[in-house]
């Protein structure tokens, strides 16, 4: 079976290998440049004692390459659409299952070989892209401390492997159910994108209970160390959280230490001071029992989160493959 | 009617297949002894493809029993190795060459005669190194047939195998099949809606119409059991009482009856003649189309 799978998909494999080789060359060259640029900037700022501000002053790498790197977020989806979607659907559509299934090999072995190699390829290619991006991003990660933020979290570490395996499994399953290639490809894009958004926005922040820090106004914001991920933040009043970035209601907003606050929810005595006399505004808030807070996931939870998210998508992929197996083995050819 | 002594290659009992609400096969009971070339005949949509797919194991029956080469169709490699099935669509990988297909067969079959396919294609002048998609319909059919035969199956199920072939190639292909059967150990069921293609070579017939079996048995036995009576337009009740009327065409001047004989026909007013396969088949198909007269007729082995 492996021979047939290879014969059928070797063109795709060559194409994907060429694409990844080109991408690797680009990232290896620009990544090395960026690493030396960062080292030079570190040496220079150490001499002038300005390293604290380096994240705001240093621009690492070219915007084009950075953009290309952020685009790798689409790689798993593309694999799901172009590898997963047609894998079973095209064979059913063109009738070649009737050829393959009438050789002296049980359907279960046919399916196992095809699905097994497809998922392995997804993991390998997803992992290769992610490894390159992760390595390339290391100076940026060190400088900006943003690799726990959704835009970076999704393209670095091991989660792209989970996404890729899931996307290909999704494509295979939808294809096996619909038995038509194009609708399978379209539905794969839609379902994959939707699920990634829902998991990223609604589930991920709850993998572990966020750490909350409170602070008095006009004191230096005690930022957590390293590349933490801020989940929410805002102002706490005597009656609890009155406003936060996730709870902001309608009405005029202002920003206190970078945290958005709904003005209407502040005590009336302080409200007018916000614009007339900022020096009295914050003491007024403090006097009324208000203080700021942020809720965040500490930097050292990064790999735990990567593991949980990868595990979720791999388990979903396993469930989908089980569905495919039932469909292929039970249904008429 | 002699009971056949050959072992049975195919035996179905009360086989039905429903697709959602559409009945594709209804109470199909057929027997095909080993070593036969059986013509599966019926109009389009009669259920021929469904029957072949159920026999090959590609489709599952909704109810009823199927025994193919002694057991139910399965995913067992030994069963798969003994069945050669060729679908009407000639499913081949369009971007692969004939040589690629020979390679696939060699990898996926324990018993595989690659040299046979090469030799057959060479003798037909079909290129081995061109993508299948660039071959003509007839060439694709020849390749698909050769690949099906290369498994050296014990039972060959062919769905409209000659549809894509020109008349000469049809004749040659059917002759080629007859040779393979003569070599021993092979049973063939091939479907067609054209009787003429099959009459010369087949020795067994299954007639399907509207998802039911109208006729199943050895062609010689069936032909001997039927007769055509041509006579004046008159009352035929006596004949219908003594024999089984299959089909009647009545005009004001003449009556033509197709009957299944029970003993000799006594009425001297009728001219009695033997029946050909095509006539027989059309008679039973016409009977099926008639009102309420449709009934299952089983003649041949086992009766």
């Amino acid at each position: 079976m492996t021979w047939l799978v290879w014969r059928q998909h070797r063109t795709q494999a060559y194409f994907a290998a060429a694409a990844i080789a080109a991408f690797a060359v680009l990232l290896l060259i620009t990544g090395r440049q960026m690493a030396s640029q960062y080292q030079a900037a570190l040496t220079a700022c150490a001499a002038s004692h300005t390293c604290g501000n380096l994240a705001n002053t240093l621009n690492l790498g070219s915007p084009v390459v950075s953009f290309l790197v952020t685009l790798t977020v689409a790689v798993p989806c593309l694999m799901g659409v172009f590898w997963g979607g047609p894998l079973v659907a095209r064979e059913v559509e063109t009738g070649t299952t009737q050829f393959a299934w009438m050789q002296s090999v049980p359907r279960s072995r046919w399916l196992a070989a095809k699905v097994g190699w497809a998922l392995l390829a997804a993991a390998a290619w997803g992992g290769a892209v992610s490894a390159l991006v992760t390595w390339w991003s290391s100076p940026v990660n060190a400088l900006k401390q943003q690799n726990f933020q959704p835009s970076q979290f999704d393209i670095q570490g091991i989660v792209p492997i989970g996404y890729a395996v899931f996307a290909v499994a999704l494509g295979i399953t939808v294809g096996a159910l619909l038995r038509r290639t194009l609708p399978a490809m379209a539905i794969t894009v839609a379902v994959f994108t939707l699920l990634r958004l829902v998991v990223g926005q609604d589930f991920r922040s709850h993998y572990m209970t966020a750490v909350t820090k409170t602070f008095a106004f006009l004191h230096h914001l005690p930022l957590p160390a390293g590349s933490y991920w801020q989940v929410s933040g805002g102002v706490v009043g005597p009656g609890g959280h009155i406003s936060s970035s996730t709870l902001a209601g309608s009405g005029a907003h202002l920003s206190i230490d970078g945290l958005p606050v709904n003005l209407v929810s502040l005590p009336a005595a302080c409200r007018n001071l916000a614009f007339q006399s900022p020096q009295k505004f914050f003491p007024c808030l403090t006097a009324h029992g208000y203080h700021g807070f942020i809720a965040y996931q500490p930097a050292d939870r990064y790999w735990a989160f990567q593991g949980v998210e990868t595990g979720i998508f791999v388990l979903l992929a396993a469930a989908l493959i089980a569905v495919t197996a039932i469909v292929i083995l039970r249904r008429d050819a | 009617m002699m009971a056949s002594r050959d072992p049975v290659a195919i035996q179905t009992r009360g086989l039905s297949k429903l697709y959602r609400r559409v009945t594709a096969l209804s109470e199909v009971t057929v027997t095909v002894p080993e070593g036969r070339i059986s013509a599966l005949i019926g109009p389009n949509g009669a259920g021929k493809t469904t029957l072949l797919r159920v026999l090959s194991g590609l489709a599952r029956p909704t109810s009823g029993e199927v025994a193919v080469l002694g057991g139910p169709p399965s995913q067992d490699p030994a069963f798969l190795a003994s069945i050669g099935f060729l679908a009407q669509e000639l499913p081949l990988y369009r971007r692969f060459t004939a040589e690629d297909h020979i390679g696939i067969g060699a990898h996926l079959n324990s018993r595989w005669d690659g040299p046979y396919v090469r030799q057959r294609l060479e003798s037909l002048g079909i290129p081995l190194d061109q993508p299948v998609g660039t071959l003509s319909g007839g060439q694709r059919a020849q390749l698909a047939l050769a690949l099906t035969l290369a498994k050296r199956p014990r039972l060959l199920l062919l769905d409209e195998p000659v549809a894509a072939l020109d008349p000469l190639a049809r004749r040659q292909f059917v002759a080629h099949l007859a040779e393979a059967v003569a070599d021993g150990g092979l049973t063939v069921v091939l479907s067609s809606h054209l009787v003429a293609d099959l009459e010369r070579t087949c020795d067994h017939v299954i007639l399907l119409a509207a998802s039911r079996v109208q006729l199943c048995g050895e062609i010689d036995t069936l032909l001997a059991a039927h007769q055509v009576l041509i006579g004046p337009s008159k009352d035929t009740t006596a004949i219908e009482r003594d024999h089984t009327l299959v089909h009647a065409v009545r005009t004001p001047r003449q009556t033509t009856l197709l009957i299944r004989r029970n003993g000799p026909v006594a009425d001297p007013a009728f001219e009695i003649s033997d029946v050909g396969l095509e006539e027989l088949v059309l008679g039973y198909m016409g009977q099926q189309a008639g009102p309420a007269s449709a009934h299952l007729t089983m003649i041949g082995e086992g009766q």
Side-chain angles (χ1 to χ4, degrees), chain A residues 240-252:
Chain A
H241 295 185
I242 58 157
S243 169
S244 74
S245 54
T246 53
L247 293 173
S250 58

Side-chain angles (χ1 to χ4, degrees), chain B residues 18-37:
Chain B
L18 277 73
Y19 289 107
R20 295 180 199 276
R21 284 189 183 163
V22 181
T23 304
L25 292 175
S26 180
E27 295 291 318
V28 167
T29 299
V30 294
T31 306
V32 181
E34 277 186 13
R36 298 297 184 279
I37 304 185

Side-chain angles (χ1 to χ4, degrees), chain A residues 297-310:
Chain A
Q297 300 291 352
D300 59 9
R301 291 183 181 175
Y302 177 78
W303 284 109
F305 271 60
Q306 284 262 333
V308 172
E309 181 124 344
T310 308

Side-chain angles (χ1 to χ4, degrees), chain A residues 22-32 65 69 132-133 135-136:
Chain A
F23 186 64
V25 169
L26 179 73
L27 287 205
L28 287 173
I29 293 170
T30 56
R32 283 181 57 129
V65 179
V69 165
L132 283 165
V133 169
W135 172 81
W136 182 89

Side-chain angles (χ1 to χ4, degrees), chain A residues 1 3-4 7-8 90-91 94-96 98-108 110 329-333, chain B residues 17 53 56-60 75 77 80-81 83 85 87 89 91-93 96 100-101 103-104 107-109 151:
Chain A
M1 267 312 303
W3 187 88
L4 174 60
R7 181 63 194 83
Q8 275 188 285
R90 180 152 293 154
E91 294 230 25
T94 57
T96 46
Q98 295 186 84
F99 178 81
W101 295 355
M102 286 318 297
Q103 308 304 313
S104 315
V105 167
R107 248 182 256 187
S108 51
W110 175 87
L329 301 183
R330 297 247 173 103
R331 204 161 61 178
D332 290 350
Chain B
K17 174 73 182 174
R53 284 164 55 80
S56 72
L58 282 176
R60 266 166 232 256
Q75 287 292 306
L80 291 170
I83 304 291
F85 172 73
E89 306 91 301
L92 296 170
Y93 298 93
F96 287 8
D100 288 329
H101 283 88
I104 294 171
H107 279 88
L108 300 188
N109 293 287
K151 274 176 83 180

Side-chain angles (χ1 to χ4, degrees), chain A residues 3 43 46 75 101 109 113 156 159 205 235 253-254 293 318 320 329:
Chain A
W3 187 88
T43 318
V75 167
W101 295 355
R109 257 191 64 203
Q156 293 188 32
V159 288
S205 57
V235 172
H253 286 74
L254 82 168
F293 82 95
L320 286 171
L329 301 183

Side-chain angles (χ1 to χ4, degrees), chain B residues 236-269:
Chain B
T236 56
T237 336
I239 293 174
E240 285 180 50
R241 192 182 55 233
D242 294 343
H243 309 281
T244 310
L245 179 68
V246 176
H247 188 62
V249 179
R250 294 172 214 271
T251 66
R253 305 180 60 182
Q254 184 178 291
T255 301
T256 310
L257 304 175
L258 172 65
I259 60 157
R260 195 184 131 201
R261 211 153 47 92
N262 294 318
V265 179
D267 196 331

Side-chain angles (χ1 to χ4, degrees), chain A residues 207-261:
Chain A
Y207 293 165
M208 293 168 91
T209 311
V211 177
T212 304
K213 267 193 181 179
T214 59
F215 55 93
F217 298 116
L218 288 182
H219 287 78
H220 202 68
L221 192 63
L223 286 175
S227 51
Y228 67 94
W229 175 32
Q230 184 180 324
V231 177
S232 66
V235 172
V236 187
H241 295 185
I242 58 157
S243 169
S244 74
S245 54
T246 53
L247 293 173
S250 58
H253 286 74
L254 82 168
S255 179
I256 301 173
D257 285 347
L259 307 172
V261 170

